[in-house]
Amino acid sequence: MASAFSHEVIGLIAQIPKGKVATYGQIAALAGNPRAARQVAWLLHSASDKYDLPWQRVIGAGGRISLPQGKGYRLQRKLLQQEGVAVGQNGSIDLKAHQWHPNKTRLMSLTPEEQEELDRYL
DNA sequence: TACGTGACGTTCT
DNA sequence: AAGAACGCCACGT
């Protein structure tokens, strides 16, 4: 059985709307653990084939496709562009325009510390 | 129980 | 500005 954190992450990723993107760190923070960005990546890697997740909508901090060339970079870029997300030649994405901002209701369950961490992403 | 691992992120050179 | 060096964290072995 996966941890509550993992379950939360999966649920969050499933909520990212088409045409929007979120960063690994953002998802981790929303799931309650701002430091577990790597775990989010690990989860996508291992769970994307078990669930039907919009994995392509999760990118690296600063708005960059994090998937290495030859290991999905090309596909992710293609999928995002098909959704209307502008992806630069270098894999850069304008977060200002495309970052997902979850509704506040789900944020009320967080501790003050987590809220503070989250402010960076909202 | 212990250790290695990764689609990360931040800080220091 | 670009790259190296660390720190982090949960999962699989």
Side-chain angles (χ1 to χ4, degrees):
Chain A
M1 180 62 182
S3 67
F5 172 78
S6 297
H7 185 273
E8 190 68 17
V9 168
I10 299 298
L12 283 164
I13 293 175
Q15 293 179 54
I16 306 175
K18 176 186 175 191
K20 289 294 180 181
V21 298
T23 66
Y24 299 91
Q26 179 188 0
I27 294 298
L30 289 169
N33 193 338
R35 312 280 184 74
R38 304 192 70 161
Q39 192 56 23
V40 174
W42 188 91
L43 277 172
L44 266 88
H45 176 73
S46 67
S48 59
D49 52 336
K50 301 186 182 69
Y51 306 84
D52 185 27
L53 297 173
W55 59 269
Q56 73 275 22
R57 296 174 193 158
V58 185
I59 62 180
R64 281 183 142 291
I65 288 183
S66 189
L67 218 52
Q69 285 278 12
K71 297 185 179 175
Y73 170 89
R74 192 183 289 268
L75 173 60
Q76 179 168 24
R77 181 154 166 276
K78 176 185 167 191
L79 289 173
L80 287 175
Q81 293 182 319
Q82 291 181 337
E83 304 188 338
V85 176
V87 183
Q89 199 59 58
N90 52 4
S92 64
I93 294 169
D94 182 9
L95 289 179
K96 275 285 193 184
H98 298 108
Q99 184 169 196
W100 174 51
H101 295 291
N103 52 50
K104 295 181 180 176
T105 54
R106 90 168 351 288
L107 304 181
M108 301 195 311
S109 62
L110 302 178
T111 68
E113 292 74 27
E114 293 169 341
Q115 288 274 355
E116 191 173 339
E117 283 286 341
L118 273 177
D119 286 341
R120 310 176 47 192
Y121 303 100
L122 305 180

